[in-house]
Amino acid sequence: MRNKYLLLLKMQLYNFFGINRMFHSHSKKEKQKSMLLGALAIVILGLMITYSALFSAGLAGMGAASLLPTLSVLVCSLITLVLTFLKGSGVLFGLRDYDMVMSLPVKSSEVVLSRITMVYLANLLISIIVVLPAIIIFGISTNAGIIANLIFGLSLLFIPVIPMIISLGIGVLITAISSQSRHKNIISLILSTLAVLLIVAASTQAQNMDSSEIVNIGVALSNTANRIYPPALLLSMAVQDQNGLYFLAFAGLSALFGGAFVVVVAHFYQKMNTATFSHSAIKYKEKALKVSSPFKAMYKREFNRYFSCTIYALNSTIGMVLLLVVSVLLLFITPEMLEQQSGFIGLSQMLRQILPMVIAVFITMTSTTAASLSLEGKNRWLMCSAPVRTIDIFNSKIAVNLTVIFPFAFISALLLGIRMEVSTMQVVLLCIVPLIYSCFISVLGMYMNVKFPKYDWTSEYYAVKGGAVSVLATMGIGMLSSMAPLFICAVFTGISSMVMVVTSALLLIIVFALYGKLRCYQLYEI
């Protein structure tokens, strides 16, 4: 079993990191691109570890170094919980290479274990970013002893397991429920969205504290984590008491959760994949054929494709759903109440000034176009052979993203504008800024996907999230384009309107420039 498991894992690692393409590609340009992306990933990883180290050092400097074990477990677990769920069951079910893999002389348990190991390795990277700096700072700042530091260091390997299993378990449960329905993709999308909202709501409960001091917040978070998350308590006691039994209980609990999950999923693996790939019988009725424009036909096709992939729809919709939820919640909270609870004098006035940019931040989290071309996969020849212009296909994909954004953005802007009692100038900006950002992120995502398509995926997850350069680049540039002006507007509220006008004008120019480049592309060249 061991050799087969390792071979399956090796295949996935090669596919995820593009190792075969990097070493065996005859294209020099392809190798240079792989090396550049690898270097960029190392730089980003270094920056994230540096930020985490500064945070841990800040806590230690305020005399809260003893809280680092519990807080690092809490933060790492929450990040793992959310990110693993967003990856969804797409790492286990509905894989394009399912028939090929299951035709090999391997057991379902080996396949499931290899795929879960891939998710574990990704979450282990999160654990390294969050927990490793805390381990080092904890060892330097306290006199806990060698055993305590050793226990804290070894815990790095086990921290991601339980939250990862919980998220995957929720994803599997959603797949099991939705696979029985004819409208399984819609049901899966609704259940997944509700689950994300519940996870976000649960994670924010730890922030409902009266004290505004960082140390007190850390103590409250630590106490909350120990109360509601027993593994955090076990690790905290293991480090503080230098007790190996508590650590063994923590490690054993993690291993037990992981092993039980593999056994259960492996038992139902083939049955659930069969249900995922199956299609309900449809009764066809003879109707008159309708003729539509090329753009309209491609738009309908793209819209249907959007809802046929749960992970695609969930990842590109969740930002707008969160925006709408925040807008509705603020209907019950006045700006003055927010100012009073936070103790931030002038917060209500600042929120009124930066409101359009707050909406823009959520909009830049929403780009269906960044993966729309890659999701064509092996069927991309259909686009190349269709009697439509390339720009019409691009336009249809851009239109779907705008269709996703506009209803949420309009309703949220209306609700927030009414609650915040904004001025006439701010009403104008509430209309213009979200509109321009919507066009910007849609066209940017399309351009990035044209430049960095990923057709050779075995699961839609790899096209939507896992190593998809176009998605990462779009998200990074989009968030930077909204967060930077938001920061400037928050610091210099007196010139916030001018900053938003100038930013909108620059983005509009970029939109026209990128769209002009898209008009020059042909599908067979991509």
Side-chain angles (χ1 to χ4, degrees):
M1 174 179 174
R2 180 173 174 270
N3 290 335
K4 294 177 181 178
Y5 156 73
L6 292 176
L7 284 173
L8 288 171
L9 180 60
K10 182 180 178 181
M11 288 167 54
Q12 291 183 76
L13 288 170
Y14 274 34
N15 178 58
F16 185 82
F17 292 106
I19 295 175
N20 277 332
R21 183 183 302 167
M22 182 171 61
F23 287 107
H24 303 292
S25 175
H26 297 291
S27 172
K28 187 176 180 180
K29 185 177 179 181
E30 190 73 29
K31 291 184 177 181
Q32 290 176 344
K33 185 195 298 184
S34 299
M35 293 176 65
L36 179 62
L37 291 175
L40 182 61
I42 292 173
V43 172
I44 294 174
L45 181 62
L47 290 174
M48 294 173 72
I49 292 177
T50 302
Y51 178 80
S52 179
L54 290 173
F55 177 78
S56 298
L59 281 176
M62 290 180 286
S66 60
L67 301 176
L68 286 175
T70 305
L71 289 180
S72 60
V73 171
L74 176 65
V75 173
C76 183
S77 297
L78 287 175
I79 295 174
T80 301
L81 192 70
V82 175
L83 293 185
T84 303
F85 182 80
L86 289 177
K87 297 170 186 176
S89 57
V91 297
L92 290 173
F93 304 107
L95 303 170
R96 192 171 66 173
D97 62 345
Y98 170 75
D99 291 333
M100 182 192 72
V101 172
M102 295 310 295
S103 65
L104 299 173
V106 294
K107 299 178 182 178
S108 296
S109 57
E110 295 169 341
V111 177
V112 172
L113 185 58
S114 67
R115 298 198 184 281
I116 291 178
T117 302
M118 273 295 299
V119 181
Y120 167 75
L121 292 175
N123 289 319
L124 183 61
L125 183 61
I126 297 173
S127 184
I128 291 172
I129 293 171
V130 175
V131 182
L132 184 59
I135 292 172
I136 297 173
I137 299 298
F138 179 80
I140 295 174
S141 306
T142 64
N143 297 318
I146 298 176
I147 296 178
N149 288 305
L150 182 62
I151 289 174
F152 195 9
L154 290 175
S155 69
L156 184 72
L157 301 173
F158 299 96
I159 289 173
V161 176
I162 294 178
M164 177 190 78
I165 296 302
I166 292 173
S167 281
L168 287 176
I170 295 173
V172 170
L173 186 62
I174 289 173
T175 301
I177 295 173
S178 61
S179 63
Q180 304 300 318
S181 171
R182 175 180 172 181
H183 305 288
K184 55 189 176 185
N185 289 315
I186 301 296
I187 293 175
S188 181
L189 175 60
I190 293 172
L191 292 174
S192 299
T193 304
L194 290 175
V196 170
L197 293 177
L198 287 174
I199 290 172
V200 172
S203 66
T204 57
Q205 289 302 307
Q207 299 177 11
N208 296 328
M209 307 161 194
D210 297 330
S211 177
S212 60
E213 297 180 2
I214 295 178
V215 175
N216 289 341
I217 290 175
V219 172
L221 278 172
S222 178
N223 293 335
T224 302
N226 289 334
R227 187 174 66 254
I228 66 175
Y229 189 53
L233 177 61
L234 285 173
L235 180 60
S236 177
M237 294 172 64
V239 174
Q240 291 176 4
D241 301 340
Q242 300 188 39
N243 193 319
L245 292 178
Y246 285 128
F247 172 73
L248 289 177
F250 170 73
L253 188 64
S254 301
L256 181 63
F257 261 73
F261 182 77
V262 171
V263 171
V264 172
V265 173
H267 181 73
F268 297 101
Y269 188 64
Q270 295 187 33
K271 184 178 179 180
M272 292 189 67
N273 267 290
T274 301
T276 302
F277 285 114
S278 64
H279 299 279
S280 301
I282 301 175
K283 295 181 180 179
Y284 290 98
K285 295 182 180 179
E286 186 176 349
K287 295 181 180 180
L289 294 176
K290 295 181 180 180
V291 178
S292 59
S293 65
F295 167 76
K296 188 175 181 180
M298 296 304 299
Y299 173 79
K300 288 181 178 179
R301 174 184 178 273
E302 189 64 27
F303 203 72
N304 291 332
R305 180 73 180 88
Y306 176 74
F307 283 105
S308 69
C309 177
T310 304
I311 190 172
Y312 177 39
L314 177 64
N315 279 273
S316 54
T317 308
I318 193 63
M320 301 312 298
V321 172
L322 289 174
L323 172 62
L324 183 60
V325 170
V326 170
S327 303
V328 173
L329 290 176
L330 286 178
L331 288 177
F332 305 96
I333 305 174
T334 64
E336 289 70 23
M337 289 172 60
L338 285 174
E339 184 173 319
Q340 184 178 2
Q341 290 179 359
S342 65
F344 191 119
I345 299 176
L347 176 63
S348 59
Q349 183 59 32
M350 186 185 74
L351 284 176
R352 291 186 180 94
Q353 295 293 332
I354 66 173
L355 201 54
M357 292 308 306
V358 172
I359 297 176
V361 171
F362 286 96
I363 289 175
T364 52
M365 296 167 59
T366 308
S367 180
T368 62
T369 52
S372 59
L373 196 63
S374 297
L375 282 170
E376 299 289 346
K378 63 181 180 180
N379 295 321
R380 65 183 182 274
W381 64 271
L382 292 172
M383 296 187 302
C384 298
S385 59
V388 293
R389 298 182 304 167
T390 299
I391 194 61
D392 288 333
I393 295 175
F394 292 161
N395 286 339
S396 68
K397 295 179 183 295
I398 292 172
V400 168
N401 197 50
L402 295 176
T403 304
V404 172
I405 293 175
F406 280 164
F408 289 99
F410 174 76
I411 295 172
S412 300
L414 182 64
L415 295 177
L416 291 173
I418 293 173
R419 165 50 70 190
M420 294 295 180
E421 300 175 353
V422 296
S423 64
T424 303
M425 181 61 182
Q426 290 165 341
V427 169
V428 174
L429 290 173
L430 269 176
C431 296
I432 294 176
V433 173
L435 175 63
I436 292 178
Y437 267 95
S438 301
C439 296
F440 170 69
I441 199 66
S442 301
V443 175
L444 175 67
M446 192 72 257
Y447 177 76
M448 286 297 173
N449 204 193
V450 168
K451 296 294 290 184
F452 304 103
K454 186 178 180 64
Y455 296 121
D456 55 342
W457 44 266
T458 55
S459 169
E460 290 165 331
Y461 160 74
Y462 294 110
V464 176
K465 289 183 71 69
V469 179
S470 59
V471 176
L472 297 176
T474 302
M475 288 289 290
I477 296 173
M479 293 298 290
L480 181 63
S481 70
S482 59
M483 292 295 289
L486 175 65
F487 177 77
I488 296 173
C489 291
V491 175
F492 306 101
T493 54
I495 60 170
S496 59
S497 297
M498 185 179 69
V499 170
M500 284 185 268
V501 170
V502 172
T503 302
S504 299
L506 289 174
L507 291 181
L508 197 59
I509 294 172
I510 294 173
V511 167
F512 281 115
L514 294 180
Y515 189 77
K517 289 182 176 294
L518 287 176
R519 295 182 67 90
C520 300
Y521 283 103
Q522 296 297 324
L523 281 174
Y524 58 80
E525 298 174 347
I526 302 172

